[in-house]
Amino acid sequence: MKPLLLDTPPDEWNFEGTQAFRARQIREWVYEHGVLDFPEMTNLPANLRQDLEDQWQIRPMEIARVQGSEDTTRKFLFRLHDGQLIESVLIPANPGSDGTRATRMTLCVSSQVGCALGCKFCASGLDGLKRNLSPGEIVGQVLLARIEAGRRIDNLVFMGMGEPLANLPNLLPALDTILSPDGLGIGARHITLSTSGLVPRILELARHPAQLRLAISLHGSDDRTRERIMPINDRYPIAELLKACETFVKERRKIITFEYILIRGINDDLGQASLLARQASKLRAKVNLIPYNQVDGLDWERPPLKHIEAFRKRVEKGGAKVTVRMEKGHDIDAACGQLRLRHAKEVSANQIPIK
Ligand code: SAH
Ligand code: SF4
């Protein structure tokens, strides 16, 4: 296969035998105008367009399916060149009910196909890890979603499929492209990396020059609770994880949030809430409570609304900033990894149309 152009940050593009300004022109076509076919780059000489077309692949994937509509949460299912499927979710903030456009767009992106970490509540980990995404496959999700949305993407969250910090060697060059004004030009403070707690990688990110945000998937505030649902806790127990968070926060005043899924009878004890509040307030971390999203094949459920509210109040009373994040797009399977699984089942039954 031809090398993928988006695997390389645009500042490093080098097309042998062409003058330097050609790279700038191509960059403008791709990242400013969203043109992903060399033949359409009309200010390049025809023979150069043909040469580039022969040598490079721009599109890292095709859109297999889009669910949702322009002014609601939209879910993209992408098919990669080897046939693997990944998903991204585009979430508008404050869309007007009268059809006015959303003020901000957040895109939730995937970092791997599947995941090796096997958290017990998560659909992405059910089949294990298939493979890492390349830098271009990470960047491509943002670029294609932006083209489809017809507007800029303001915020990125790495909360789709996979563990972004387990794919740091590919994530870092992807971030170079995402951050670069010559690439997607999204500011570091608008980018959140979500992790289940790979301590050495958190420490590595603490030293990253950009002020990226980190979301820690805690989901249990003592080891006994957490290790029941997150096998990674055996390798990096809570005390060690919190120490890494402290280092991260201290370095250039970086910001973290704690994500906490609420699963009825598993981790929703009010004692967990008090402990969570103490851990968060010490790091000035905000807490996001996420009512568990039903996953096919698992019989857990979210706690009743009244209990969710009691849990929230307890965290607040303990001195931490806390919000309950009702999953947007719940109705279109916005939970981690679920669309892909459902889709995979349908594919075996009938062929899916390509948009
Ligand atoms: N691997 C990273 C990022 C991807 S998961 C991580 O674990 O942080 C993104 C978020 O979705 C995590 O906080 C994860 O715990 C959450 N999540 C996974 N399955 C879920 C489910 N069934 N209901 C609600 N949230 C879920
Ligand atoms: Fe992997 Fe995150 Fe899912 Fe855990 S929650 S299995 S780390 S994607």
Side-chain angles (χ1 to χ4, degrees), residues 197-203 216 218 223 226 232-248 279 283:
L198 300 182
V199 166
R201 297 283 166 94
I202 294 173
L203 296 173
I216 305 291
L218 203 60
D223 285 325
R226 193 169 191 260
I232 183 79
N233 198 73
D234 290 343
R235 216 174 344 145
Y236 305 113
I238 292 184
E240 229 179 287
L241 175 57
L242 293 177
K243 223 168 115 213
C245 291
E246 210 177 306
T247 307
F248 185 87
Q279 291 159 341
L283 295 165

Side-chain angles (χ1 to χ4, degrees), residues 13-14 47 127-128 147 261 284 315:
W13 284 358
N14 170 24
N47 58 347
D127 276 345
I147 293 169
I261 300 184
R284 265 183 258 122
V315 178

Side-chain angles (χ1 to χ4, degrees), residues 115-119 121-125 160-163 196 217 219 230 336:
C115 181
L117 299 181
C119 303
F121 46 79
C122 175
S124 288
M161 204 192 306
E163 165 57 46
S196 58
S217 292
H219 311 329
M230 299 181 73
C336 196

Side-chain angles (χ1 to χ4, degrees), residues 81-278:
H81 290 302
D82 62 356
Q84 297 286 358
L85 299 169
I86 56 164
E87 60 197 23
S88 314
V89 185
L90 188 61
I91 308 156
N94 320 315
S97 51
D98 55 352
T100 48
R101 303 193 83 189
T103 49
R104 274 175 295 116
M105 279 288 182
T106 298
L107 186 72
C108 174
V109 293
S110 296
S111 53
Q112 299 180 308
V113 184
C115 181
L117 299 181
C119 303
K120 302 271 193 313
F121 46 79
C122 175
S124 288
L126 285 180
D127 276 345
L129 175 70
K130 296 271 186 271
R131 70 171 174 86
N132 282 321
L133 295 187
S134 79
E137 289 168 336
I138 296 173
V139 169
Q141 295 170 63
V142 192
L143 188 57
L144 290 188
R146 193 186 79 182
I147 293 169
E148 281 290 304
R151 57 163 288 167
R152 78 171 265 117
I153 308 283
D154 306 282
N155 304 301
L156 277 193
V157 296
F158 283 80
M159 294 184 180
M161 204 192 306
E163 165 57 46
L165 299 202
N167 187 18
L168 210 50
N170 289 342
L171 180 67
L172 292 176
L175 285 172
D176 285 346
T177 303
I178 291 166
L179 291 163
S180 168
D182 290 342
L184 291 161
I186 300 176
R189 286 188 192 79
H190 297 272
I191 301 172
T192 301
L193 304 175
S194 181
T195 180
S196 58
L198 300 182
V199 166
R201 297 283 166 94
I202 294 173
L203 296 173
E204 203 175 326
L205 263 188
R207 295 191 295 270
H208 194 286
Q211 245 179 344
L212 299 159
R213 290 173 186 257
L214 196 61
I216 305 291
S217 292
L218 203 60
H219 311 329
S221 24
D222 59 35
D223 285 325
R224 230 175 45 137
T225 307
R226 193 169 191 260
E227 72 196 6
R228 266 179 77 194
I229 50 179
M230 299 181 73
I232 183 79
N233 198 73
D234 290 343
R235 216 174 344 145
Y236 305 113
I238 292 184
E240 229 179 287
L241 175 57
L242 293 177
K243 223 168 115 213
C245 291
E246 210 177 306
T247 307
F248 185 87
V249 171
K250 273 197 194 138
E251 197 73 34
R252 286 175 250 257
R253 299 210 312 268
K254 291 185 175 183
I255 294 174
I256 60 169
T257 54
F258 284 143
E259 307 288 308
Y260 198 105
I261 300 184
L262 287 168
I263 312 172
R264 183 177 194 166
I266 301 288
N267 65 352
D268 63 344
D269 184 277
L270 292 184
Q272 294 290 309
S274 304
L275 198 51
L276 173 61
R278 220 171 309 145

